[in-house]
Amino acid sequence: KSADSGTIATVQTNGQSQEYGVLRMVGTATSGDKTELQLKGLSWRYRVGKKLWAGVRWKTDSAALTGMAFGLASTTTSFVSGAQAASLAPGVDDGIFLWKNATDTSWSFGTATQSGENGVGSSRTQTNSTGLGGTIADDTYDELFITVDQDGNIHAYVDNSEVAQRLVDEATIPDDTELALTFGFRVGSAATRPVQVDWALAYEDS
């Protein structure tokens, strides 16, 4: 799915080290323009006792002018919703995600859940850990991973270093909703901002 007028360009094959090319997404030259992709037809659910992995390798040409978000999210709301061009803290009802605001040069990690039957008459809660990992650089790939271990604890990694976790009893872990692989970005200035995705994946123990 795509919000606003962001465009998805064709896969290019002249990437840095990609045998099969990269997915190049380009937002319009409008501050606040938002683009989001979500995998359809395949989803995952957080379960204690079942390992789960989700990851992405991607980059932007301007780390200080692009908001980015990646993770597993419910299909009912958007990662990149909201009116503030510089603010991107994901607003999904249920999700496990890493993100950065347009002005951030480090990643943040969050979990969110919506209580109640189908979110009706209920409240949404979210736990954030901000300022994680090393400095995000322009035109430099970052590798993000989210894993769920056998005991149900969630771990977040940036470039192979663990930066945050949620223990199995954390109240904001979304444990009753199907979650889809999702990523998106928001332009933080009045200029086109390309984001390139080398790969993105999600899988769990059978």
Side-chain angles (χ1 to χ4, degrees):
K1 58 185 179 182
S2 179
D4 290 353
S5 54
T7 59
I8 307 300
T10 57
V11 174
Q12 65 178 32
T13 58
N14 60 343
Q16 177 176 313
S17 61
Q18 300 75 12
E19 181 179 358
Y20 301 107
V22 296
L23 173 65
R24 179 178 170 88
M25 303 182 292
V26 183
T28 66
T30 302
S31 181
D33 181 64
K34 303 178 286 289
T35 300
E36 178 174 335
L37 292 178
Q38 186 171 73
L39 182 64
K40 296 296 186 182
L42 186 62
S43 61
W44 295 264
R45 183 183 287 244
Y46 168 92
R47 296 181 178 92
V48 176
K50 184 168 288 254
K51 295 180 182 179
L52 175 64
W53 297 264
V56 69
R57 184 175 185 262
W58 62 350
K59 68 178 180 178
T60 176
D61 74 324
S62 178
L65 294 173
T66 310
M68 304 167 72
F70 164 81
L72 298 171
S74 59
T75 60
T76 56
T77 50
S78 172
F79 255 168
V80 292
S81 61
Q84 296 291 332
S87 177
L88 193 66
V92 292
D93 290 339
D94 298 88
I96 307 167
F97 39 80
L98 284 150
W99 89 93
K100 66 174 292 298
N101 292 324
T103 55
D104 293 344
T105 55
S106 60
W107 295 100
S108 298
F109 174 64
T111 51
T113 187
Q114 182 89 356
S115 61
E117 183 66 25
N118 296 321
V120 176
S122 61
S123 61
R124 175 184 177 277
T125 55
Q126 180 168 326
T127 302
N128 296 325
S129 302
T130 59
L132 308 173
T135 301
I136 302 170
D138 295 350
D139 201 32
T140 301
Y141 279 105
D142 274 353
E143 189 172 298
L144 312 181
F145 253 98
I146 297 166
T147 69
V148 178
D149 64 28
Q150 187 75 21
D151 298 322
N153 303 306
I154 302 174
H155 308 267
Y157 297 85
V158 175
D159 294 329
N160 297 315
S161 296
E162 185 171 5
V163 296
Q165 65 176 248
R166 297 286 183 271
L167 299 180
V168 63
D169 57 355
E170 168 62 51
T172 58
I173 291 177
D175 59 1
D176 61 353
T177 303
E178 294 293 321
L179 305 174
L181 183 68
T182 309
F183 54 84
F185 72 98
R186 176 155 48 196
V187 175
S189 66
T192 57
R193 294 264 78 91
V195 170
Q196 293 187 171
V197 180
D198 182 8
W199 51 257
L201 60 87
Y203 59 99
E204 66 179 356
D205 278 347
S206 57

